Amino acid sequence: MRAVLLVTLAAGLGLAQPADPGKPATTNVMGAEYPKIHADLSVTFRTKAPDAKKVQVDLGKPWDMERDGEGVWSVTIPPQVPGFHYYYLSIDGVRVSDPASRNFYGVSRESSGIEIPEAGADYSEIKDVPHGQVRNYRYYSKTVAGWRRAFVYTPPDYDTNLKARYPVLYLQHGGGEDETGWPNQGRVDIILDNLIAEKKAVPMIVVMDKGYALKPGEEIPQPPAAGQPRRPFFSRTFEEVVIDDLIPAVDGGFRTLTDRDHRAMTGLSMGGMQTFQITMAHLDKFAWIGGFSGSGGIMGGPFDAKTAYDGVLADAAAFNKRVKLVWIGIGTKEPERMYASVHSFHEALTQAGIRHVYYESPGTSHEWLTWRRDLNEFAPLLFR
Amino acid sequence: MRAVLLVTLAAGLGLAQPADPGKPATTNVMGAEYPKIHADLSVTFRTKAPDAKKVQVDLGKPWDMERDGEGVWSVTIPPQVPGFHYYYLSIDGVRVSDPASRNFYGVSRESSGIEIPEAGADYSEIKDVPHGQVRNYRYYSKTVAGWRRAFVYTPPDYDTNLKARYPVLYLQHGGGEDETGWPNQGRVDIILDNLIAEKKAVPMIVVMDKGYALKPGEEIPQPPAAGQPRRPFFSRTFEEVVIDDLIPAVDGGFRTLTDRDHRAMTGLSMGGMQTFQITMAHLDKFAWIGGFSGSGGIMGGPFDAKTAYDGVLADAAAFNKRVKLVWIGIGTKEPERMYASVHSFHEALTQAGIRHVYYESPGTSHEWLTWRRDLNEFAPLLFR
């Protein structure tokens, strides 16, 4: 009876009902039946809210949910792009997490997330291969006068190959996320485990810190208001933390190779911008540089390779000799402004004669599937 | 003006207003001003919900929030017991997480949490001492035919004292929680780091797995209906996982001491019950046993030391010689049934002549402050 009612409602809304019952998303909390993903990647959401007047699910855009006689609201939304998407419910206009979903720190808050499976892509699926570990690593930062926590991936043989020293990749999250992003949404250890098992990437340590840092008394920097001069909306304090506190702490606490030829940095979105800011100012410390949907020259505006980053790009031949890799990635379905800024930076580098790799993730937006693919493409090129 | 209004409203509700502005809770998401904790440990909650008809905050019990002219709802609730409390908002009758709070997996879902500071208690505060690591450890379970993840705390000297082998404590979360409970809500690494630094506890490895396990095709066991025979509402599959998969994986993957004299197990609530179920059936593997607000004989009903656990307690002298420690803890403010069941188990053990330590956490309920204190009391007694 309820099924009939739902079909009727859906027909009224012009939404097609999938033929199959669907499977609970892997991102649901233990025991939660909904959200369910159907074979065609359409998704049914359901939540109980007998006293609410209006309930929506927002996944990229808001979808009205329909109430049944018992106060259960549901909607089936059209097939979704594979990968990890943040989403939320709106209960009488209040944006809240779906109680049925695991939460992921993103968009500056805990957010519901749903993993839409990608057919045929197993690079980010757990396999029967040796597994590394993600460790919480507490270190003292003189810059912020307090303890900070980074996550550190150690490769599978780290605890057995005790004479080995490893190169290090510093890997940053995006704006509104934190150091939990890559271990949770990004599946960093699974991607690296798989690459290392297939000998596509060399065993490496990956360090993931929170890309925010404030000195005592320092205020959180605000994004520029409309019409104001563009500037990075993150504090430079994080740069000091990386250079003065984090790198020494990692080199002191792990069996790392400490020269610049064995140190890389990349990040997504804001983390990519931070990477270019930090590495270009410290080429004595980094020889491998990446930017996932965020790099140099982002946010539009003229980019002049002769003067940018205090002129380190001005002599292309010298830069190309000094820097082993510059790598830039973007999803083809990212918002136009994002795509344009990364693509135009790629073109500016090309014009300036700066050797680099440019990668487009087909069909993906400013989302974690783009960045997982980026990591899967970027990591194999490192430390060769 | 708004302050005056709030005071007026609060006066109308009979709630006293604290004199100080309060400080954002440490459990808030980055940048969130509310909830704020005042000097007297009263707490002000605030959330924006212009279109909602009724908003409450539920922390132990529901408190009505009051709407201002701009649709912002607030309430200041009376002084709270220190420690970590789960809480949630109710928006027009729908129970949701507070967008201003970090989420913690508990009560079978992501839940808001608030840390009320405990004056003078610094055993669970991060200090300038050497820090261990909490590592995500993936291992294959033949029992469930899949990969599982446990968190493993390694003590501060684990990566430098490479010849050392360590005793192991298996430490379980409660019902509706998971393996993230002890690292997040429980502050396990900070408590152990502090104990080890003060030489109050010996360096040990702590293993925290998810206390749920299902074989292929096995259904989630349901709690018994009212009037039905009492039985553990968790599957015995977890026992098989611990014995057949987890212990071998930990002994294979870490530098452990593998004899029973160097293996302990404890857990909170459901995890305590699981501990007694597992250890009593495998005394060849465990010599140290704990139960935090959950142990043997819980859920009321007669407990007969002669027949319980297949009679391993029947010969008290033999048991006391074989088992190095039985440790039972409970908070004095726990719900009457919880308190009574643990206390009566303590009395039954005493009557049966089973040597054990019984600890009461003053003023705390069935909550994480009880269990942090338990760990802080229990860990120093281990492996001596």
Coordinates of all heavy atoms in Angstrom, one line a residue, chain A residues 103, chain B residues 84-88 95 97-98 101-107 109-113:
Chain A
N103 N 28.9 10.9 9.8 CA 29.2 12.2 9.6 C 30.7 12.4 9.2 O 31.5 11.6 9.6 CB 28.9 13.1 10.8 CG 27.5 13.5 10.9 OD1 26.7 13.0 10.0 ND2 27.1 14.3 11.8
Chain B
F84 N 32.1 14.3 29.7 CA 31.6 14.3 28.3 C 30.2 13.8 28.3 O 29.9 12.7 28.8 CB 32.5 13.4 27.4 CG 31.9 13.2 26.0 CD1 32.4 14.1 25.0 CD2 31.0 12.3 25.7 CE1 31.9 14.0 23.7 CE2 30.5 12.2 24.4 CZ 30.9 13.0 23.4
H85 N 29.3 14.6 27.7 CA 27.9 14.2 27.6 C 27.5 14.2 26.1 O 27.7 15.2 25.4 CB 27.0 15.2 28.4 CG 27.4 15.5 29.8 ND1 27.4 14.5 30.7 CD2 27.8 16.6 30.4 CE1 27.8 15.0 31.9 NE2 28.1 16.3 31.7
Y86 N 26.8 13.2 25.7 CA 26.1 13.2 24.5 C 24.9 14.2 24.6 O 24.3 14.3 25.7 CB 25.5 11.8 24.1 CG 26.6 10.8 23.8 CD1 26.7 9.7 24.6 CD2 27.5 10.9 22.7 CE1 27.7 8.7 24.3 CE2 28.4 10.0 22.4 CZ 28.5 8.9 23.2 OH 29.5 7.9 23.0
Y87 N 24.5 14.9 23.5 CA 23.3 15.7 23.6 C 22.8 15.8 22.1 O 23.5 15.5 21.2 CB 23.5 17.0 24.2 CG 24.2 18.1 23.4 CD1 23.4 19.0 22.7 CD2 25.6 18.1 23.2 CE1 24.0 20.0 21.9 CE2 26.2 19.1 22.5 CZ 25.4 20.0 21.8 OH 26.0 21.0 21.0
Y88 N 21.6 16.3 22.0 CA 21.1 16.6 20.7 C 20.0 17.7 20.7 O 19.6 18.1 21.8 CB 20.5 15.3 20.1 CG 19.3 14.6 20.8 CD1 18.0 15.0 20.6 CD2 19.6 13.7 21.8 CE1 17.0 14.4 21.3 CE2 18.6 13.1 22.5 CZ 17.3 13.4 22.3 OH 16.3 12.8 23.0
R95 N 14.9 14.6 16.2 CA 16.1 14.6 16.9 C 17.3 14.7 16.0 O 17.5 13.8 15.1 CB 16.1 13.3 17.7 CG 17.4 13.0 18.4 CD 17.3 11.7 19.2 NE 18.5 11.3 19.7 CZ 18.7 10.4 20.6 NH1 17.6 9.7 21.0 NH2 19.9 10.0 21.1
S97 N 21.6 16.3 15.3 CA 22.8 16.8 15.9 C 22.8 18.3 15.8 O 22.2 18.9 14.9 CB 24.0 16.3 15.1 OG 24.1 14.9 15.3
D98 N 23.4 18.9 16.8 CA 23.7 20.4 16.8 C 24.7 20.7 15.8 O 25.9 20.2 15.9 CB 24.1 20.8 18.2 CG 24.3 22.3 18.4 OD1 24.2 23.0 17.3 OD2 24.5 22.7 19.5
S101 N 28.3 21.5 17.0 CA 29.1 20.5 17.8 C 29.8 19.5 16.9 O 29.3 19.1 15.8 CB 28.2 19.8 18.7 OG 28.9 18.7 19.3
R102 N 31.0 19.1 17.3 CA 31.6 17.9 16.7 C 30.7 16.8 17.0 O 30.0 16.8 18.0 CB 33.0 17.6 17.4 CG 34.1 18.6 17.1 CD 34.6 18.8 15.7 NE 34.8 17.6 14.9 CZ 35.8 17.4 14.0 NH1 36.7 18.4 13.8 NH2 35.9 16.3 13.3
N103 N 30.7 15.8 16.2 CA 29.9 14.6 16.4 C 30.8 13.4 16.9 O 31.9 13.3 16.6 CB 29.2 14.2 15.1 CG 27.9 15.0 14.9 OD1 27.6 15.9 15.7 ND2 27.1 14.7 13.9
F104 N 30.1 12.6 17.7 CA 30.8 11.4 18.3 C 29.8 10.2 18.0 O 28.6 10.4 18.2 CB 31.0 11.7 19.8 CG 31.8 12.9 20.0 CD1 31.2 14.1 20.1 CD2 33.2 12.8 20.1 CE1 32.0 15.3 20.3 CE2 34.0 13.9 20.3 CZ 33.4 15.2 20.5
Y105 N 30.4 9.1 17.6 CA 29.5 8.0 17.4 C 29.1 7.4 18.7 O 29.9 6.8 19.5 CB 30.2 6.9 16.5 CG 29.2 5.9 16.0 CD1 28.3 6.2 15.0 CD2 29.1 4.7 16.6 CE1 27.4 5.3 14.5 CE2 28.1 3.8 16.2 CZ 27.3 4.1 15.2 OH 26.3 3.2 14.7
G106 N 27.8 7.5 19.0 CA 27.3 6.9 20.3 C 25.8 6.8 20.1 O 25.2 7.3 19.2
V107 N 25.1 6.1 21.0 CA 23.7 5.9 20.9 C 23.3 5.4 19.5 O 22.2 5.9 19.0 CB 22.9 7.1 21.4 CG1 23.1 7.3 22.9 CG2 23.2 8.4 20.7
R109 N 24.3 6.2 16.6 CA 24.3 7.2 15.6 C 25.3 8.3 15.9 O 25.9 8.3 17.0 CB 22.9 7.9 15.5 CG 22.5 8.5 16.8 CD 21.0 8.8 17.0 NE 20.6 9.9 16.1 CZ 19.3 10.2 15.9 NH1 18.4 9.5 16.5 NH2 19.0 11.2 15.2
E110 N 25.5 9.2 15.0 CA 26.4 10.3 15.3 C 25.6 11.2 16.2 O 24.5 11.5 16.0 CB 26.7 11.1 14.0 CG 27.3 10.2 12.9 CD 28.9 10.2 13.0 OE1 29.4 10.8 13.9 OE2 29.5 9.4 12.3
S111 N 26.3 11.6 17.3 CA 25.6 12.4 18.3 C 26.5 13.7 18.6 O 27.7 13.6 18.6 CB 25.5 11.5 19.5 OG 24.9 12.3 20.6
S112 N 25.8 14.7 18.9 CA 26.6 15.9 19.5 C 27.1 15.5 20.8 O 26.6 14.7 21.5 CB 25.6 17.1 19.6 OG 25.1 17.4 18.4
G113 N 28.2 16.2 21.2 CA 28.8 15.9 22.5 C 29.4 17.2 23.1 O 29.8 18.1 22.3

